Amino acid sequence: MPYFTTSDGTEIYYIDQGAGSPVVLSHGWPLSSDAWQREVKLIADAGYRAIAHDRRGHGRSSKTYAGNDMDTYARDLAELIEHLDLHDVVLIGHSTGGGEVVRYAARHGAGRVKKLLTAGAVPPVMVRSESNPEGTPIEAFDAIREGVLDDASQFYRDLAAPFFGANREGATVSQGAADDFWRQGMLVNLAAAYDCVKAFSETDFTDDLTSLDVPILIAHGDDDQIVPIAAAAEKTITLVKNGTLKVYPGAPHGIAGDYQKALDADILAYLAE
């Protein structure tokens, strides 16, 4: 299993499969690179080099107490990409990972990034404020922190329902998908899971988005209960210079089922452009 050690001594686990032009995938909270297993195979099978890492504190990477913030996440990604000497990279990020790849591309990716794709991504900023009335109230994020601190195992079991839209009438989310969400969540270091809530909810990516000079495909389900589209993708598309918004009717936050199949087809088409 490949590991890379960052400049501050953090061990980052990653998978690296296939050959060809590089595609780097960044996962959401509280998951790991395992969330991208299907995409890694499909991308590698299509003739690309697919790379996905476990963010610090998540999965098999170091169980960090410090550095659980978006600037450090982006720096870790920069150091991994530099370590692998990747160029003409396509970045794909889901949820928190969407914020990570946007910040990386804006602040570290000059000369290395070809284009981006985000899915259910947190930019521009999630938390509600006077300037962002469509955002989610801070009390909702406080409740996430409380849930993680009080009983993380049960919290992840409960969160799987809105994450995948299993609480909607007619939903066909498998028990396996919910179980795997719980499994990945339980690998996160508690301090990292707790601190990452602030990172994904309060980081403002507005300047990063406006400074992007590469194409970005912004994918989002219009029934996303975790990162509502009105405060995210619908605002992001107004800030980027070269963006395309793709809305998936009825799709939730979690990438599974019919939504996953549709998104994966769009990912492969986007890579081939």
Side-chain angles (χ1 to χ4, degrees), residues 19-40:
S21 299
V23 180
V24 175
L25 302 101
S26 181
H27 62 82
W29 179 95
L31 305 175
S32 70
S33 59
D34 286 353
W36 289 120
Q37 286 193 73
R38 172 183 160 93
E39 287 70 28
V40 166

Side-chain angles (χ1 to χ4, degrees), residues 168-256:
R168 298 307 201 204
E169 185 177 354
T172 57
V173 181
S174 72
Q175 186 61 49
D179 289 348
D180 197 46
F181 179 88
W182 174 85
R183 177 189 68 84
Q184 291 183 57
M186 291 306 294
L187 293 174
V188 185
N189 183 47
L190 184 60
Y194 189 97
D195 290 349
C196 188
V197 177
K198 181 179 180 66
F200 73 64
S201 65
E202 297 183 42
T203 302
D204 190 338
F205 298 94
T206 300
D207 290 345
D208 303 301
L209 292 168
T210 57
S211 70
L212 287 180
D213 58 1
V214 295
I216 178 170
L217 175 60
I218 304 154
H220 216 108
D222 69 2
D223 193 30
D224 189 325
Q225 300 172 64
I226 307 300
V227 183
I229 190 172
E234 290 179 358
K235 287 193 171 184
T236 291
I237 191 61
T238 69
L239 295 169
V240 295
K241 300 180 183 73
N242 187 7
T244 301
L245 175 61
K246 178 64 183 287
V247 179
Y248 296 79
H253 187 65
I255 302 172

Side-chain angles (χ1 to χ4, degrees), residues 29 127 137-152 155-156 190-202:
W29 179 95
V127 71
I138 188 67
E139 290 80 9
F141 302 114
D142 291 339
I144 294 174
R145 281 183 278 260
E146 182 179 358
V148 167
L149 195 59
D150 287 352
D151 187 346
F155 179 77
Y156 295 140
L190 184 60
Y194 189 97
D195 290 349
C196 188
V197 177
K198 181 179 180 66
F200 73 64
S201 65
E202 297 183 42

Side-chain angles (χ1 to χ4, degrees), residues 1-7 10 12-14 16 24 49 51 53 75-87 89 104 112:
M1 294 188 298
Y3 280 87
F4 163 73
T5 303
T6 69
S7 56
T10 301
I12 300 294
Y13 170 87
Y14 66 97
D16 186 349
V24 175
R49 181 181 178 185
I51 299 157
H53 66 294
R75 188 190 70 199
D76 289 346
L77 181 56
E79 293 183 3
L80 174 61
I81 288 173
E82 290 164 10
H83 171 73
L84 296 174
D85 195 26
L86 304 179
H87 297 272
V89 179
Y104 163 77
R112 290 187 183 269

Side-chain angles (χ1 to χ4, degrees), residues 89-91 113-117 214-216 269-273:
V89 179
V90 178
L91 296 167
V113 177
K114 181 179 180 180
K115 54 188 175 182
L116 293 85
L117 184 152
V214 295
I216 178 170
Y270 187 60
L271 292 177
E273 290 178 358

